[in-house]
Amino acid sequence: MTDFASLLVADRGQKARAIHLVDKDSFAAWAKKRTAEDRALIEAHRFEGKTGFVILPRGNDFEVVSAVRDTNALSPWCLAKLADSLPEGAYKLAAGDAGAAALGWLLAQHRFDAYRKAENPQRGPRVLVTGDPARIEATVRLAEATALVRELVDTPAADLGPAEIEAAVREEAKRSGGHIRVTTGAELAKGYPLIAAVGRAATDERAPRLVELEWGKAGNPRIAIVGKGVCFDSGGLDLKPASGMRIMKKDMGGAAHALALARLVSTARLPVRLHLLIPTVENSVSGAAYRPGDIVKSRKGDFVEIDNTDAEGRLILADALTRAGEDQPELIIDFATLTGAARTALGPDLPATFVNRDDLAAEIESAAREVSDPLWRMPLWDPYDADLKSDVADLSNTSGNAMAGAIYAALFLRRFVPDEIAWAHLDTYAWRDSPKPARPKGGDALGLRAVFAMLEARYPPR
């Protein structure tokens, strides 16, 4: 992974090229104070302080003037284009500190190169010198967690199955000093029958499992983080079309988010007792595959009729949520690439967020705005719950209704969360179909920083 710590360093008076930030309101006043040579160059480039940047020569070196939307409220991405475009070397803002914009500076230089030949020639690093050393470590942690999500999601399914998800959690347990438990085979079939059913068509090397990690002192408030880990989703016997299957390596994006959030919690030393649960499977096709019309008894004891084998994520989450609730945490958060309906409703950028407590929803929404990691609350609309009925079992895994798919999925999950426990469910895309500065096409963390900011505010480090 990229060495982000080397790209963001404290200002100790070292030489660094200046970056002047302007916006459409401040540009004219700023330009008046420049030399005639600077103004002529800026005019020649038709730079008006709205978009882009201009290089200003300084003998054998240079400075930079760059447009941002608002110089008084820097976004995480307003320096990203510079970090991707400027020559190697050290830079610092001419006025103020980078603040939140340092994250984009770091992520713009992240590359997932495991499956590409090395660039020739290699580009050197662009180092940002900051006057706020207290934020360096926190920003680096956020960049590392985001990159972890991206790299896990971008890894091809052939190289990232349930065993590799388990290995990633084991690595995190080793790093944090947490304790891990893995449930497989007959024990999984007995204790977590929905997880076992979804994954039973896969080969032995890609056998389903529930991976759990616990970290933190036993006396601290207990929280559970659950992530959907479907390493590849063919749709099962309700087979997806080719277009729908093409990027299904990303269907473990919820697990990637959950693992990254667990890392943020432990590295920030939040005073919690963390329980990470990742049910991980491959939804494959074979003679052993579970079928439409099958009825499977869940860990909770409810019998679930399988209406559609492509609605598998909610099944494995149901058993994991039941397990999480058994230890009576005060908060459960789950991440899942669960429904195409969420994307239809909100597009790729906004995780559909379902919360069973208004105060918790307000905390998450406030944190999302604070860190510029947008999401959107959706309703747990009680009248729709009856549509999950089955003629022959306690409930069905789908409603049979082509509308409101994200809501039905969330209502299904809610049945496996104890009423007395606060719960948030993020139906996230975990992917970008087109690139933006510091946000390449492919896997991405959407909602991760918002939820971590909420946790950090709720459980501040001591």
Side-chain angles (χ1 to χ4, degrees):
M1 187 180 290
T2 304
D3 180 12
F4 293 112
S6 67
L7 303 177
L8 187 63
V9 300
D11 188 353
R12 307 192 188 282
Q14 61 269 57
K15 182 179 179 181
R17 296 164 176 145
I19 299 174
H20 303 270
L21 297 182
V22 297
D23 55 30
K24 61 183 179 62
D25 295 325
S26 66
F27 172 68
W30 177 87
K32 284 182 180 179
K33 300 177 182 179
R34 312 314 298 174
T35 66
E37 291 82 359
D38 280 355
R39 288 196 299 271
L41 182 62
I42 289 169
E43 185 176 347
H45 282 83
R46 298 182 179 179
F47 179 80
E48 298 177 341
K50 297 178 181 179
T51 60
F53 65 92
V54 176
I55 300 293
L56 303 175
R58 296 290 183 264
N60 294 327
D61 212 339
F62 63 88
E63 294 182 356
V64 183
V65 54
S66 179
V68 297
R69 178 173 295 179
D70 185 352
T71 56
N72 296 313
L74 301 184
S75 80
W77 314 113
C78 66
L79 297 182
K81 184 64 175 178
L82 292 180
D84 188 47
S85 305
L86 293 173
E88 64 181 274
Y91 298 84
K92 66 182 295 185
L93 298 192
D97 186 72
L103 178 64
W105 182 277
L106 298 183
L107 288 172
Q109 299 183 67
H110 173 248
R111 299 288 185 273
F112 180 61
D113 289 332
Y115 298 89
R116 290 190 288 203
K117 295 178 181 178
E119 292 182 7
N120 188 24
Q122 290 286 340
R123 293 188 64 192
R126 278 78 71 202
V127 179
L128 186 62
V129 178
T130 175
D132 188 4
R135 295 188 61 164
I136 292 176
E137 185 177 348
T139 303
V140 167
R141 289 198 302 261
L142 285 174
E144 290 174 342
T146 303
L148 175 63
V149 174
R150 292 178 179 181
E151 293 192 2
L152 286 172
V153 173
D154 283 337
T155 299
D159 294 335
L160 188 74
E164 287 74 27
I165 292 287
E166 176 188 333
V169 179
R170 287 190 180 278
E171 183 178 340
E172 180 59 26
K174 183 178 180 180
R175 188 207 56 74
S176 67
H179 302 283
I180 193 168
R181 172 182 170 83
V182 180
T183 307
T184 59
E187 187 181 0
L188 185 77
K190 180 179 180 181
Y192 304 92
L194 289 173
I195 300 174
V198 173
R200 73 190 187 201
T203 62
D204 290 344
E205 293 79 9
R206 302 175 75 82
R209 65 204 70 195
L210 175 66
V211 186
E212 301 174 76
L213 180 150
E214 294 218 21
W215 172 89
K217 295 181 180 179
N220 286 336
R222 187 175 185 88
I223 66 171
I225 301 171
V226 183
K228 173 188 169 185
V230 178
C231 294
F232 188 80
D233 183 18
S234 69
L237 292 178
D238 286 308
L239 197 67
K240 291 179 182 290
S243 60
M245 208 184 301
R246 174 61 181 85
I247 59 171
M248 279 301 101
K249 67 177 184 179
K250 80 171 186 68
D251 214 21
M252 39 60 62
H257 280 73
L259 180 58
L261 182 58
R263 174 174 292 186
L264 285 169
V265 167
S266 65
T267 53
R269 311 300 295 177
L270 299 191
V272 298
R273 178 66 171 176
L274 172 67
H275 186 192
L276 171 69
L277 304 97
I278 296 180
T280 180
V281 303
E282 178 169 314
N283 189 21
S284 192
V285 177
S286 76
Y290 77 128
R291 308 165 187 82
D294 281 357
I295 298 174
V296 183
K297 186 177 182 181
S298 70
R299 179 177 179 84
K300 181 183 176 184
D302 292 340
F303 286 92
V304 181
E305 182 181 18
I306 308 305
D307 181 61
N308 190 322
T309 63
D310 196 23
E312 85 298 331
R314 67 198 68 182
L315 297 174
I316 67 172
L317 287 171
D319 274 355
L321 288 168
T322 299
R323 170 69 188 95
E326 289 167 1
D327 290 328
Q328 289 297 302
E330 66 178 45
L331 174 64
I332 298 176
I333 300 165
D334 79 73
F335 291 88
T337 52
L338 205 60
T339 67
R343 310 287 75 76
T344 300
L346 300 177
D349 291 350
L350 293 171
T353 304
F354 298 84
V355 189
N356 68 350
R357 300 284 193 281
D358 288 341
D359 56 346
L360 175 59
E363 290 177 48
I364 295 173
E365 290 171 325
S366 176
R369 289 190 296 270
E370 183 69 23
V371 299
S372 300
D373 189 20
L375 44 75
W376 198 263
R377 188 182 185 186
M378 298 281 277
L380 289 162
W381 188 246
D382 290 328
Y384 291 168
D385 190 72
D387 293 342
L388 293 172
K389 65 184 178 182
S390 164
D391 295 332
V392 291
D394 293 313
L395 75 161
S396 172
N397 74 327
T398 72
S399 68
N401 189 333
M403 298 180 286
I407 298 176
Y408 284 118
L411 290 171
F412 181 92
L413 296 181
R414 188 178 66 171
R415 294 195 178 208
F416 298 89
V417 177
D419 291 339
E420 66 274 13
I421 297 175
W423 165 64
H425 158 60
L426 277 76
D427 187 338
T428 186
Y429 192 37
W431 189 263
R432 289 197 177 274
D433 292 311
S434 57
K436 296 180 180 180
R439 291 154 289 177
K441 180 178 178 179
D444 204 2
L446 301 170
L448 172 67
R449 291 183 293 109
V451 174
F452 176 66
M454 179 275 292
L455 291 176
E456 198 171 29
R458 183 180 265 224
Y459 309 104
R462 297 178 183 138

